[in-house]
Amino acid sequence: MKKITVAVDGPAGSGKSSVSRQVAAMLGITYIDSGAIYRAITWFFLEKYGDIDSETPFGNGIKGLDIRQEYYSDRTTKTFVNGLDVSQLIRSEEVVKSIQWVSSNKAVRDFVTTLLREWAGEKSIIMDGRDIGSVVFPNADLKIYLDASVETRAKRRYDEYVATGKNVDLKAIKKQIIQRDSQDTAREFGALKRCEDAVFVDTSDMTQDQVVNKLTELIENQDSV
Ligand code: CDP
Ligand code: CDP
């Protein structure tokens, strides 16, 4: 297989990360989770300042920050900040509540974009996020935009929390998803948007395996494969 770059964008709960991980494992390519980087930077600043907002000096703080990500053949990913494994810590509610300040900051976005491009290097990759097809890899071989109804996405997140023994409220999760959708689409830089050249897949009534098959088919039909 020749080198291929696949960009997968879409809102929270559309299935980007689970589907991309599975596709990567099936094709033997690397999966890169860009959202984990924004989460890791948010975690770092929360640790540093306790609380963050639009006034936090992110631009100075990220200089020299050592962020790494490792992808394993069992489809898992680990993210490290200055050598510390933060993979679990970055999944907290606190991180999600504050992430908008970090992901709307231009200096942070430029830092992350450079990092993601470096990581991809000469490898075949599938990367998911919000601005992968629009900003990080505008010349990706294949761009996918995954979406699903808010109800479906909220229920998926709810089921995930319940499976890990967490006591959560479906209505509150739906509200949080709607709020994050508007933050992600409204920001000035790196906003979530459906690129004209992206293949749109509404996953509302599709199982994860059906979406994986659809993406694998699209990738295999690329000229470069
Ligand atoms: O998994 P989930 O969809 O909840 O989110 P994620 O992919 O882990 O991303 C968390 C947040 O990081 C998003 O809501 C965005 O605000 C931000 N993000 C971004 O700004 N750009 C990306 N390429 C990826 C994530
Ligand atoms: O990365 P993103 O926030 O877009 O979504 P995800 O974390 O990959 O998916 C959220 C949940 O929905 C996971 O538990 C997936 O297994 C599930 N899912 C699903 O039920 N049906 C799909 N077609 C895709 C994902």
Side-chain angles (χ1 to χ4, degrees), residues 11-13 16 33-36 38-39 91 99 103 109 128-132 157 180 184 187 190:
K16 302 178 300 297
D33 177 358
S34 73
Y38 288 96
R39 286 172 179 268
R91 301 287 150 197
I99 206 160
S103 59
R109 298 210 73 87
D128 78 319
R130 304 292 189 287
D131 63 339
I132 309 307
R157 271 288 131 83
R180 201 135 58 93
D184 282 342
R187 66 172 163 255

PDB file of all heavy atoms in Angstrom, residues 11-13 16 33-36 38-39 91 99 103 109 128-132 157 180 184 187 190, ligand 1:
ATOM      1  N   PRO A  11     -18.523  16.181  14.485  1.00  0.00           N
ATOM      2  CA  PRO A  11     -18.791  16.617  15.864  1.00  0.00           C
ATOM      3  C   PRO A  11     -18.620  15.495  16.890  1.00  0.00           C
ATOM      4  O   PRO A  11     -18.457  14.326  16.518  1.00  0.00           O
ATOM      5  CB  PRO A  11     -20.255  17.070  15.791  1.00  0.00           C
ATOM      6  CG  PRO A  11     -20.846  16.247  14.700  1.00  0.00           C
ATOM      7  CD  PRO A  11     -19.756  16.010  13.694  1.00  0.00           C
ATOM      8  N   ALA A  12     -18.689  15.854  18.164  1.00  0.00           N
ATOM      9  CA  ALA A  12     -18.523  14.892  19.265  1.00  0.00           C
ATOM     10  C   ALA A  12     -19.562  13.774  19.160  1.00  0.00           C
ATOM     11  O   ALA A  12     -20.743  14.036  18.931  1.00  0.00           O
ATOM     12  CB  ALA A  12     -18.674  15.615  20.593  1.00  0.00           C
ATOM     13  N   GLY A  13     -19.102  12.556  19.296  1.00  0.00           N
ATOM     14  CA  GLY A  13     -20.000  11.405  19.304  1.00  0.00           C
ATOM     15  C   GLY A  13     -20.406  10.904  17.925  1.00  0.00           C
ATOM     16  O   GLY A  13     -21.235   9.997  17.807  1.00  0.00           O
ATOM     17  N   LYS A  16     -15.970   9.235  15.209  1.00  0.00           N
ATOM     18  CA  LYS A  16     -14.646   9.418  14.586  1.00  0.00           C
ATOM     19  C   LYS A  16     -13.564   8.526  15.165  1.00  0.00           C
ATOM     20  O   LYS A  16     -12.880   7.816  14.437  1.00  0.00           O
ATOM     21  CB  LYS A  16     -14.158  10.880  14.748  1.00  0.00           C
ATOM     22  CG  LYS A  16     -15.052  11.924  14.169  1.00  0.00           C
ATOM     23  CD  LYS A  16     -14.506  13.304  14.425  1.00  0.00           C
ATOM     24  CE  LYS A  16     -14.345  13.669  15.877  1.00  0.00           C
ATOM     25  NZ  LYS A  16     -15.595  13.713  16.658  1.00  0.00           N
ATOM     26  N   ASP A  33      -4.929  10.745  17.209  1.00  0.00           N
ATOM     27  CA  ASP A  33      -6.092  11.346  17.871  1.00  0.00           C
ATOM     28  C   ASP A  33      -5.777  12.811  18.178  1.00  0.00           C
ATOM     29  O   ASP A  33      -5.136  13.119  19.186  1.00  0.00           O
ATOM     30  CB  ASP A  33      -6.325  10.526  19.160  1.00  0.00           C
ATOM     31  CG  ASP A  33      -7.456  11.064  20.018  1.00  0.00           C
ATOM     32  OD1 ASP A  33      -8.045  12.094  19.659  1.00  0.00           O
ATOM     33  OD2 ASP A  33      -7.737  10.427  21.049  1.00  0.00           O
ATOM     34  N   SER A  34      -6.221  13.725  17.302  1.00  0.00           N
ATOM     35  CA  SER A  34      -5.854  15.136  17.509  1.00  0.00           C
ATOM     36  C   SER A  34      -6.587  15.742  18.704  1.00  0.00           C
ATOM     37  O   SER A  34      -6.063  16.614  19.393  1.00  0.00           O
ATOM     38  CB  SER A  34      -6.104  15.958  16.244  1.00  0.00           C
ATOM     39  OG  SER A  34      -7.475  16.172  16.040  1.00  0.00           O
ATOM     40  N   GLY A  35      -7.816  15.264  18.968  1.00  0.00           N
ATOM     41  CA  GLY A  35      -8.575  15.795  20.106  1.00  0.00           C
ATOM     42  C   GLY A  35      -7.832  15.580  21.418  1.00  0.00           C
ATOM     43  O   GLY A  35      -7.892  16.417  22.329  1.00  0.00           O
ATOM     44  N   ALA A  36      -7.106  14.454  21.502  1.00  0.00           N
ATOM     45  CA  ALA A  36      -6.357  14.158  22.737  1.00  0.00           C
ATOM     46  C   ALA A  36      -5.285  15.210  22.996  1.00  0.00           C
ATOM     47  O   ALA A  36      -4.938  15.477  24.153  1.00  0.00           O
ATOM     48  CB  ALA A  36      -5.730  12.765  22.646  1.00  0.00           C
ATOM     49  N   TYR A  38      -5.531  18.516  22.183  1.00  0.00           N
ATOM     50  CA  TYR A  38      -6.223  19.677  22.769  1.00  0.00           C
ATOM     51  C   TYR A  38      -6.621  19.377  24.216  1.00  0.00           C
ATOM     52  O   TYR A  38      -6.555  20.249  25.085  1.00  0.00           O
ATOM     53  CB  TYR A  38      -7.433  20.067  21.909  1.00  0.00           C
ATOM     54  CG  TYR A  38      -7.002  20.708  20.614  1.00  0.00           C
ATOM     55  CD1 TYR A  38      -6.890  19.967  19.436  1.00  0.00           C
ATOM     56  CD2 TYR A  38      -6.634  22.054  20.579  1.00  0.00           C
ATOM     57  CE1 TYR A  38      -6.446  20.541  18.262  1.00  0.00           C
ATOM     58  CE2 TYR A  38      -6.192  22.641  19.407  1.00  0.00           C
ATOM     59  CZ  TYR A  38      -6.095  21.889  18.252  1.00  0.00           C
ATOM     60  OH  TYR A  38      -5.646  22.470  17.094  1.00  0.00           O
ATOM     61  N   ARG A  39      -7.019  18.138  24.463  1.00  0.00           N
ATOM     62  CA  ARG A  39      -7.369  17.744  25.834  1.00  0.00           C
ATOM     63  C   ARG A  39      -6.117  17.809  26.729  1.00  0.00           C
ATOM     64  O   ARG A  39      -6.177  18.295  27.859  1.00  0.00           O
ATOM     65  CB  ARG A  39      -7.933  16.323  25.852  1.00  0.00           C
ATOM     66  CG  ARG A  39      -9.349  16.225  25.309  1.00  0.00           C
ATOM     67  CD  ARG A  39      -9.783  14.764  25.168  1.00  0.00           C
ATOM     68  NE  ARG A  39     -11.133  14.639  24.682  1.00  0.00           N
ATOM     69  CZ  ARG A  39     -12.220  14.537  25.449  1.00  0.00           C
ATOM     70  NH1 ARG A  39     -12.096  14.498  26.760  1.00  0.00           N
ATOM     71  NH2 ARG A  39     -13.426  14.437  24.924  1.00  0.00           N
ATOM     72  N   ARG A  91      -9.640  12.691  30.004  1.00  0.00           N
ATOM     73  CA  ARG A  91     -11.039  12.338  29.683  1.00  0.00           C
ATOM     74  C   ARG A  91     -12.020  12.913  30.702  1.00  0.00           C
ATOM     75  O   ARG A  91     -13.199  12.576  30.677  1.00  0.00           O
ATOM     76  CB  ARG A  91     -11.200  10.809  29.612  1.00  0.00           C
ATOM     77  CG  ARG A  91     -10.320  10.138  28.571  1.00  0.00           C
ATOM     78  CD  ARG A  91     -10.794  10.386  27.141  1.00  0.00           C
ATOM     79  NE  ARG A  91      -9.678  10.396  26.199  1.00  0.00           N
ATOM     80  CZ  ARG A  91      -9.733  10.898  24.971  1.00  0.00           C
ATOM     81  NH1 ARG A  91     -10.833  11.437  24.516  1.00  0.00           N
ATOM     82  NH2 ARG A  91      -8.680  10.881  24.193  1.00  0.00           N
ATOM     83  N   ILE A  99     -12.088  23.199  27.652  1.00  0.00           N
ATOM     84  CA  ILE A  99     -11.322  23.002  26.408  1.00  0.00           C
ATOM     85  C   ILE A  99     -11.548  24.108  25.375  1.00  0.00           C
ATOM     86  O   ILE A  99     -10.658  24.416  24.583  1.00  0.00           O
ATOM     87  CB  ILE A  99     -11.604  21.598  25.810  1.00  0.00           C
ATOM     88  CG1 ILE A  99     -10.428  21.126  24.952  1.00  0.00           C
ATOM     89  CG2 ILE A  99     -12.894  21.542  25.029  1.00  0.00           C
ATOM     90  CD1 ILE A  99     -10.375  19.629  24.716  1.00  0.00           C
ATOM     91  N   SER A 103      -8.904  25.446  22.616  1.00  0.00           N
ATOM     92  CA  SER A 103      -9.060  25.137  21.188  1.00  0.00           C
ATOM     93  C   SER A 103      -9.430  26.354  20.349  1.00  0.00           C
ATOM     94  O   SER A 103      -9.397  26.286  19.123  1.00  0.00           O
ATOM     95  CB  SER A 103     -10.050  23.986  20.976  1.00  0.00           C
ATOM     96  OG  SER A 103     -11.292  24.306  21.508  1.00  0.00           O
ATOM     97  N   ARG A 109      -3.471  26.448  18.374  1.00  0.00           N
ATOM     98  CA  ARG A 109      -3.838  25.717  17.149  1.00  0.00           C
ATOM     99  C   ARG A 109      -2.623  25.577  16.220  1.00  0.00           C
ATOM    100  O   ARG A 109      -2.397  24.521  15.638  1.00  0.00           O
ATOM    101  CB  ARG A 109      -4.987  26.397  16.408  1.00  0.00           C
ATOM    102  CG  ARG A 109      -6.275  26.468  17.191  1.00  0.00           C
ATOM    103  CD  ARG A 109      -7.502  26.444  16.292  1.00  0.00           C
ATOM    104  NE  ARG A 109      -7.729  25.127  15.738  1.00  0.00           N
ATOM    105  CZ  ARG A 109      -8.431  24.149  16.337  1.00  0.00           C
ATOM    106  NH1 ARG A 109      -9.022  24.357  17.483  1.00  0.00           N
ATOM    107  NH2 ARG A 109      -8.560  22.975  15.762  1.00  0.00           N
ATOM    108  N   ASP A 128      -8.169  11.901  13.246  1.00  0.00           N
ATOM    109  CA  ASP A 128      -9.501  12.469  13.428  1.00  0.00           C
ATOM    110  C   ASP A 128      -9.454  13.757  14.246  1.00  0.00           C
ATOM    111  O   ASP A 128      -8.518  13.984  15.011  1.00  0.00           O
ATOM    112  CB  ASP A 128     -10.459  11.443  14.057  1.00  0.00           C
ATOM    113  CG  ASP A 128     -10.271  11.284  15.551  1.00  0.00           C
ATOM    114  OD1 ASP A 128      -9.118  11.264  15.998  1.00  0.00           O
ATOM    115  OD2 ASP A 128     -11.277  11.183  16.265  1.00  0.00           O
ATOM    116  N   GLY A 129     -10.483  14.603  14.025  1.00  0.00           N
ATOM    117  CA  GLY A 129     -10.524  15.873  14.746  1.00  0.00           C
ATOM    118  C   GLY A 129     -11.645  16.749  14.241  1.00  0.00           C
ATOM    119  O   GLY A 129     -12.753  16.268  13.931  1.00  0.00           O
ATOM    120  N   ARG A 130     -11.358  18.042  14.170  1.00  0.00           N
ATOM    121  CA  ARG A 130     -12.360  19.010  13.703  1.00  0.00           C
ATOM    122  C   ARG A 130     -11.882  19.742  12.451  1.00  0.00           C
ATOM    123  O   ARG A 130     -12.681  20.147  11.619  1.00  0.00           O
ATOM    124  CB  ARG A 130     -12.639  20.057  14.800  1.00  0.00           C
ATOM    125  CG  ARG A 130     -13.088  19.483  16.140  1.00  0.00           C
ATOM    126  CD  ARG A 130     -14.465  18.862  16.009  1.00  0.00           C
ATOM    127  NE  ARG A 130     -15.062  18.463  17.285  1.00  0.00           N
ATOM    128  CZ  ARG A 130     -14.689  17.424  18.024  1.00  0.00           C
ATOM    129  NH1 ARG A 130     -13.681  16.668  17.630  1.00  0.00           N
ATOM    130  NH2 ARG A 130     -15.328  17.120  19.149  1.00  0.00           N
ATOM    131  N   ASP A 131     -10.561  19.966  12.365  1.00  0.00           N
ATOM    132  CA  ASP A 131     -10.003  20.789  11.274  1.00  0.00           C
ATOM    133  C   ASP A 131      -8.938  20.012  10.492  1.00  0.00           C
ATOM    134  O   ASP A 131      -8.043  20.616   9.916  1.00  0.00           O
ATOM    135  CB  ASP A 131      -9.370  22.055  11.866  1.00  0.00           C
ATOM    136  CG  ASP A 131      -8.203  21.739  12.795  1.00  0.00           C
ATOM    137  OD1 ASP A 131      -8.126  20.600  13.295  1.00  0.00           O
ATOM    138  OD2 ASP A 131      -7.349  22.619  12.998  1.00  0.00           O
ATOM    139  N   ILE A 132      -9.036  18.697  10.492  1.00  0.00           N
ATOM    140  CA  ILE A 132      -7.975  17.916   9.845  1.00  0.00           C
ATOM    141  C   ILE A 132      -8.029  18.093   8.315  1.00  0.00           C
ATOM    142  O   ILE A 132      -7.008  18.382   7.684  1.00  0.00           O
ATOM    143  CB  ILE A 132      -8.052  16.413  10.238  1.00  0.00           C
ATOM    144  CG1 ILE A 132      -8.130  16.259  11.768  1.00  0.00           C
ATOM    145  CG2 ILE A 132      -6.858  15.639   9.674  1.00  0.00           C
ATOM    146  CD1 ILE A 132      -7.037  16.972  12.540  1.00  0.00           C
ATOM    147  N   ARG A 157     -22.686   8.621  23.913  1.00  0.00           N
ATOM    148  CA  ARG A 157     -21.847   9.068  25.040  1.00  0.00           C
ATOM    149  C   ARG A 157     -22.401   8.544  26.365  1.00  0.00           C
ATOM    150  O   ARG A 157     -21.674   8.088  27.232  1.00  0.00           O
ATOM    151  CB  ARG A 157     -21.799  10.602  25.100  1.00  0.00           C
ATOM    152  CG  ARG A 157     -20.697  11.218  24.282  1.00  0.00           C
ATOM    153  CD  ARG A 157     -19.323  10.969  24.910  1.00  0.00           C
ATOM    154  NE  ARG A 157     -18.388  10.461  23.913  1.00  0.00           N
ATOM    155  CZ  ARG A 157     -17.721  11.221  23.067  1.00  0.00           C
ATOM    156  NH1 ARG A 157     -17.839  12.513  23.111  1.00  0.00           N
ATOM    157  NH2 ARG A 157     -16.904  10.674  22.183  1.00  0.00           N
ATOM    158  N   ARG A 180     -21.029  22.139  22.905  1.00  0.00           N
ATOM    159  CA  ARG A 180     -19.709  21.945  22.295  1.00  0.00           C
ATOM    160  C   ARG A 180     -19.797  22.070  20.760  1.00  0.00           C
ATOM    161  O   ARG A 180     -18.908  22.622  20.125  1.00  0.00           O
ATOM    162  CB  ARG A 180     -19.108  20.598  22.697  1.00  0.00           C
ATOM    163  CG  ARG A 180     -17.604  20.563  22.525  1.00  0.00           C
ATOM    164  CD  ARG A 180     -16.896  19.949  23.681  1.00  0.00           C
ATOM    165  NE  ARG A 180     -17.338  18.592  23.937  1.00  0.00           N
ATOM    166  CZ  ARG A 180     -16.747  17.518  23.429  1.00  0.00           C
ATOM    167  NH1 ARG A 180     -15.714  17.655  22.639  1.00  0.00           N
ATOM    168  NH2 ARG A 180     -17.170  16.323  23.730  1.00  0.00           N
ATOM    169  N   ASP A 184     -17.474  24.571  18.783  1.00  0.00           N
ATOM    170  CA  ASP A 184     -16.565  24.033  17.763  1.00  0.00           C
ATOM    171  C   ASP A 184     -16.823  24.630  16.372  1.00  0.00           C
ATOM    172  O   ASP A 184     -15.897  24.757  15.568  1.00  0.00           O
ATOM    173  CB  ASP A 184     -16.667  22.501  17.701  1.00  0.00           C
ATOM    174  CG  ASP A 184     -15.909  21.826  18.841  1.00  0.00           C
ATOM    175  OD1 ASP A 184     -15.057  22.473  19.466  1.00  0.00           O
ATOM    176  OD2 ASP A 184     -16.174  20.633  19.107  1.00  0.00           O
ATOM    177  N   ARG A 187     -15.868  29.031  16.377  1.00  0.00           N
ATOM    178  CA  ARG A 187     -14.591  29.715  16.644  1.00  0.00           C
ATOM    179  C   ARG A 187     -13.943  30.240  15.355  1.00  0.00           C
ATOM    180  O   ARG A 187     -14.206  29.722  14.264  1.00  0.00           O
ATOM    181  CB  ARG A 187     -13.633  28.816  17.431  1.00  0.00           C
ATOM    182  CG  ARG A 187     -13.173  27.621  16.706  1.00  0.00           C
ATOM    183  CD  ARG A 187     -12.084  26.861  17.454  1.00  0.00           C
ATOM    184  NE  ARG A 187     -12.012  25.550  16.868  1.00  0.00           N
ATOM    185  CZ  ARG A 187     -12.484  24.448  17.425  1.00  0.00           C
ATOM    186  NH1 ARG A 187     -13.012  24.477  18.618  1.00  0.00           N
ATOM    187  NH2 ARG A 187     -12.435  23.302  16.783  1.00  0.00           N
ATOM    188  N   GLY A 190      -9.733  27.236  12.939  1.00  0.00           N
ATOM    189  CA  GLY A 190      -9.860  25.782  13.066  1.00  0.00           C
ATOM    190  C   GLY A 190     -11.256  25.322  13.448  1.00  0.00           C
ATOM    191  O   GLY A 190     -11.418  24.333  14.163  1.00  0.00           O
TER     192      GLY A 190
HETATM  193  O1  CDP B   1     -14.140  12.717  21.566  1.00  0.00           O
HETATM  194  P1  CDP B   1     -14.830  14.040  21.482  1.00  0.00           P
HETATM  195  O2  CDP B   1     -15.548  14.208  20.191  1.00  0.00           O
HETATM  196  O3  CDP B   1     -15.626  14.382  22.668  1.00  0.00           O
HETATM  197  O4  CDP B   1     -13.742  15.154  21.451  1.00  0.00           O
HETATM  198  P2  CDP B   1     -12.243  15.132  21.017  1.00  0.00           P
HETATM  199  O5  CDP B   1     -12.086  14.663  19.625  1.00  0.00           O
HETATM  200  O6  CDP B   1     -11.463  14.466  22.077  1.00  0.00           O
HETATM  201  O7  CDP B   1     -11.953  16.689  21.015  1.00  0.00           O
HETATM  202  C1  CDP B   1     -12.150  17.453  22.188  1.00  0.00           C
HETATM  203  C2  CDP B   1     -12.216  18.930  21.810  1.00  0.00           C
HETATM  204  O8  CDP B   1     -10.948  19.316  21.287  1.00  0.00           O
HETATM  205  C3  CDP B   1     -13.221  19.319  20.732  1.00  0.00           C
HETATM  206  O9  CDP B   1     -14.507  19.622  21.251  1.00  0.00           O
HETATM  207  C4  CDP B   1     -12.588  20.557  20.122  1.00  0.00           C
HETATM  208  O10 CDP B   1     -12.923  21.724  20.858  1.00  0.00           O
HETATM  209  C5  CDP B   1     -11.096  20.290  20.280  1.00  0.00           C
HETATM  210  N1  CDP B   1     -10.492  19.847  19.027  1.00  0.00           N
HETATM  211  C6  CDP B   1     -10.132  20.805  18.109  1.00  0.00           C
HETATM  212  O11 CDP B   1     -10.358  21.998  18.355  1.00  0.00           O
HETATM  213  N2  CDP B   1      -9.527  20.457  16.942  1.00  0.00           N
HETATM  214  C7  CDP B   1      -9.281  19.175  16.656  1.00  0.00           C
HETATM  215  N3  CDP B   1      -8.648  18.867  15.519  1.00  0.00           N
HETATM  216  C8  CDP B   1      -9.648  18.161  17.570  1.00  0.00           C
HETATM  217  C9  CDP B   1     -10.276  18.530  18.747  1.00  0.00           C
END
